[in-house]
Amino acid sequence: MGLPSLEPRCRGRFGWGVRTVWHTEGDGEFYCPNCGGDRNYCRRTGVRRFTVLGIPLLSRGSAGTIAECGVCHRRYGLDVLDAPTSSRFSAMLRDAVHTIALAVLTAGGAGSRQARQTALEAVREAGFSDCTEDQLIGLLAALAADEGRLPGSYDSLAGALDGCGTWLSIELHEALEPLTRHLAPQGRERVLLQGARIALADGPYLPAEREALAAVGRSLRLPAEDTDRLLEAAARTPS
């Protein structure tokens, strides 16, 4: 919610009142709710001063610190800076889909060209438009070769997903946690279903794929029953 502009309040014929004097302390880029897009902002701190004839004299305390849009000049509390810019949000979504695709393929679809193609389509749609199948295969090979992070087989992966420190739980948490805070439930469900489509591209869910998608649901803060419902509905939907 924007903060109102504080104008001088002059009273009486002597022109006395209270005026807020603003000092700019920094700037940056933020998402302006009023403009509906990414804008530059100024971080400003205000001091209220008692004035006579427009001349500031005595301090009347702090007016706080605000972020002021450089275009519409609307003023906001600093919590507005917690929201990601449009470009940052797009990058978070891109990274999340990429991580989910790798997790699902690693859980069972890495050897299926159809699954890899479905993953590639999802990754490109999310923002990695120049990603190739060779690059995807290279990343999967690197994960498989990274001893100590990836369990020795797909069967053992299912039992390791909940283990603290496994590569999957760490990667999913790092990629999805920042995004989840800014996604509505419908958006989180859509991200989960992108992973489900990859898993189903070459047939029914494998146990490890189902566990990987359950881990995705937890990272997206979806209730377990909602995750199960969505995955079952995806499995019943003709491809």
Side-chain angles (χ1 to χ4, degrees):
M1 179 176 180
L3 301 178
S5 177
L6 299 177
E7 300 295 338
R9 299 196 301 273
C10 296
R11 300 179 178 89
R13 60 181 179 176
F14 297 106
W16 62 270
V18 177
R19 178 181 180 183
T20 300
V21 179
W22 295 99
H23 299 280
T24 299
E25 299 178 336
D27 56 20
E29 187 180 48
F30 81 133
Y31 180 86
C32 177
N34 187 55
C35 293
D38 296 345
R39 299 289 187 268
N40 291 325
Y41 74 90
C42 290
R43 180 188 175 106
R44 310 185 73 190
T45 296
V47 177
R48 295 187 180 95
R49 292 189 178 277
F50 180 75
T51 65
V52 175
L53 298 177
I55 301 174
L57 300 175
L58 302 177
S59 173
R60 296 294 299 273
S62 172
T65 303
I66 53 91
E68 181 178 304
C69 177
V71 176
C72 70
H73 302 292
R74 191 77 177 267
R75 291 170 178 169
Y76 302 93
L78 294 183
D79 56 348
V80 74
L81 303 180
D82 293 337
T85 61
S86 298
S87 57
R88 175 58 182 154
F89 181 82
S90 296
M92 289 192 296
L93 182 60
R94 178 195 65 200
D95 292 344
V97 172
H98 188 258
T99 302
I100 291 171
L102 289 176
V104 174
L105 289 177
T106 300
S112 166
R113 181 174 177 81
Q114 191 169 2
R116 294 198 305 269
Q117 285 297 317
T118 303
L120 195 59
E121 291 172 6
V123 168
R124 287 173 174 171
E125 182 181 340
F128 283 114
S129 58
D130 57 349
C131 184
T132 66
E133 185 176 6
D134 287 343
Q135 289 173 333
L136 205 60
I137 292 173
L139 286 171
L140 292 169
L143 288 172
D146 192 359
E147 295 180 1
R149 296 183 69 199
L150 185 64
S153 69
Y154 292 143
D155 290 337
S156 64
L157 176 61
L161 286 173
D162 289 322
C164 180
T166 63
W167 80 269
L168 181 58
S169 61
I170 293 173
E171 296 294 337
L172 287 175
H173 176 77
E174 290 182 351
L176 298 182
E177 197 277 334
L179 175 68
T180 298
R181 297 198 302 267
H182 306 290
L183 277 179
Q186 295 87 345
R188 284 179 267 153
E189 292 178 357
R190 185 173 182 274
V191 171
L192 173 67
L193 289 174
Q194 287 182 303
R197 282 192 288 272
I198 297 170
L200 293 167
D202 58 349
Y205 300 116
L206 295 175
E209 289 175 332
R210 189 66 184 257
E211 289 293 335
L213 291 169
V216 171
R218 290 192 295 273
S219 295
L220 290 168
R221 300 182 189 174
L222 290 171
E225 56 272 23
D226 288 353
T227 296
D228 291 340
R229 171 181 55 82
L230 290 165
L231 295 182
E232 289 299 329
R236 294 193 301 267
T237 302
S239 58

